[in-house]
Amino acid sequence: NLLACCKRFGIETITEAQAEAYLKEDIKVAELAISKLVKVDLTPQQQTALTSLVFNIGAGNFKRSKALKELNN
């Protein structure tokens, strides 16, 4: 989480470029989790929706979710 990261390091503000870099990094983490955990083919729209979900709930929560179990069945 960006806010927790910034508070941990005592950073009060970040640049727009830094925010974009952090966002891209977080999206990559979500996409990597999906590629490792999802065992079925996804449409581009499904991939986008799952990326948003994993970004918001976290990869660990997604790994334990009923949504993932149902998706892979």
Side-chain angles (χ1 to χ4, degrees), residues 30-45:
E31 291 173 337
L32 181 60
I34 292 165
S35 70
K36 288 181 177 181
L37 298 170
V38 174
K39 305 301 181 201
V40 297
D41 291 333
L42 300 172
T43 67
Q45 295 83 1

Side-chain angles (χ1 to χ4, degrees), residues 2 6 11-25:
L2 179 59
C6 290
I11 301 169
E12 299 272 335
T13 60
I14 61 173
T15 66
E16 186 173 335
Q18 288 170 315
E20 286 286 331
Y22 290 140
L23 177 61
K24 288 179 183 179
E25 184 178 316

Side-chain angles (χ1 to χ4, degrees), residues 47-70:
Q47 177 73 35
T48 299
L50 278 179
T51 300
S52 177
L53 176 67
V54 175
F55 176 86
N56 284 293
I57 69 170
N61 288 326
F62 180 63
K63 183 177 183 176
R64 295 182 296 275
S65 73
K66 185 175 181 179
L68 177 61
K69 289 180 182 87
E70 292 294 324

